[in-house]
Amino acid sequence: KAGVTQTPRYLIKTRGQQVTLSCSPISGHRSVSWYQQTPGQGLQFLFEYFSETQRNKGNFPGRFSGRQFSNSRSEMNVSTLELGDSALYLCASSLRLAPRETQYFGPGTRLLVL
Amino acid sequence: AQTVTQSQPEMSVQEAETVTLSCTYDTSESDYYLFWYKQPPSRQMILVIRQEAYKQQNATENRFSVNFQKAAKSFSLKISDSQLGDAAMYFCAYRDALDSNYQLIWGAGTKLIIKP
């Protein structure tokens, strides 16, 4: 089975722009979570989607949004980019929305905001 | 709110020796899951081992084992016979079992260096 894929792998944007990141989960997985990883703040939960519905949301401003499609693929969007949004964005998928489910991570998208 | 603390920013070990990475957590819940993830330089996060809080038996996966002390809220990872490929950042993570919010709460990570 193919693993979690994320596109693009690297991205450079300027302040004020918006960006869309994509995540394709493992085939059959219906839950997708997004995390932001920075040297200063570490790993922080952004949101989780299951069956096209946002089920959980972390403590991020409204500039961060996401969605999930009927094939479980997910996108996250960041509008009005700020320098502090530079980070590695990780996507993880799991079979179901349940605490015991193992989350499998993608390679991440590294976003640099200039 | 739950927190996870990894007090060792960096650890080093000689190849083939054993190393233990520490993790403590704070929660008022009785049912939860604990995880160790490995993040090599490629940046892909890989699950190493998982522990269910209601299970007293410590989880083991080949050379990786944990020492789960529920009362002390401690969850350390032991790596036996360390190999060069074990060099990575190791993250301890926590997740509530009953809360509807299933997000992972992460520690700051420990960088493991393997000396050949």
Side-chain angles (χ1 to χ4, degrees):
Chain A
K1 249 184 200 180
V4 178
T5 58
Q6 292 185 246
T7 55
R9 293 293 308 279
Y10 302 92
L11 209 46
I12 300 175
K13 292 286 188 179
T14 55
R15 276 183 301 175
Q17 287 188 309
Q18 76 164 19
V19 66
T20 298
L21 311 182
S22 180
C23 171
S24 292
I26 292 171
S27 177
H29 284 198
R30 296 172 61 196
S31 176
V32 173
S33 296
W34 289 88
Y35 294 87
Q36 182 197 63
Q37 185 177 22
T38 60
Q41 299 298 318
L43 282 148
Q44 293 183 287
F45 171 76
L46 280 156
F47 26 64
E48 180 170 29
Y49 286 86
F50 181 78
S51 292
E52 302 177 64
T53 303
Q54 186 180 93
R55 303 293 177 146
N56 294 297
K57 190 177 191 302
N59 190 24
F60 277 82
R63 300 186 296 106
F64 291 81
S65 63
R67 59 178 176 168
Q68 187 180 33
F69 301 95
S70 58
N71 62 357
S72 295
R73 189 177 70 86
S74 177
E75 288 182 347
M76 69 162 279
N77 184 77
V78 188
S79 62
T80 320
L81 283 166
E82 299 177 359
L83 295 180
D85 297 334
S86 295
L88 179 68
Y89 289 88
L90 293 168
C91 164
S93 76
S94 60
L95 201 56
R96 290 175 290 271
L97 183 68
R100 75 179 312 275
E101 289 292 325
T102 296
Q103 293 190 335
Y104 296 89
F105 284 79
T109 294
R110 183 167 292 282
L111 171 64
L112 177 61
V113 182
L114 301 175
Chain B
Q2 294 87 354
T3 58
V4 177
T5 302
Q6 292 179 251
S7 58
Q8 307 152 316
E10 187 175 293
M11 292 280 285
S12 63
V13 64
Q14 207 71 37
E15 192 178 3
E17 294 190 345
T18 295
V19 64
T20 299
L21 309 183
S22 301
C23 172
T24 58
Y25 57 95
D26 188 27
T27 184
S28 57
E29 304 297 332
S30 59
D31 198 6
Y32 48 85
Y33 294 86
L34 295 164
F35 306 83
W36 277 99
Y37 276 90
K38 166 186 175 182
Q39 188 178 40
S42 67
R43 311 303 284 177
Q44 181 120 23
M45 198 73 78
I46 302 163
L47 178 68
V48 175
I49 202 164
R50 180 179 75 180
Q51 175 77 42
E52 298 167 22
Y54 62 86
K55 287 188 177 179
Q56 292 188 339
Q57 187 174 7
N58 290 323
T60 300
E61 286 288 341
N62 301 314
R63 297 182 296 108
F64 299 87
S65 61
V66 298
N67 183 3
F68 173 50
Q69 301 288 327
K70 191 171 183 179
K73 296 180 183 174
S74 170
F75 182 60
S76 59
L77 175 69
K78 185 172 86 170
I79 306 174
S80 305
D81 186 25
S82 299
Q83 300 175 0
L84 294 177
D86 294 334
M89 284 291 292
Y90 285 81
F91 292 94
C92 178
Y94 164 99
R95 179 195 278 162
D96 273 342
L98 300 177
D99 196 323
S100 60
N101 189 341
Y102 298 140
Q103 65 170 292
L104 285 166
I105 310 295
W106 299 85
T110 296
K111 182 178 181 180
L112 179 62
I113 299 168
I114 311 293
K115 299 176 189 174

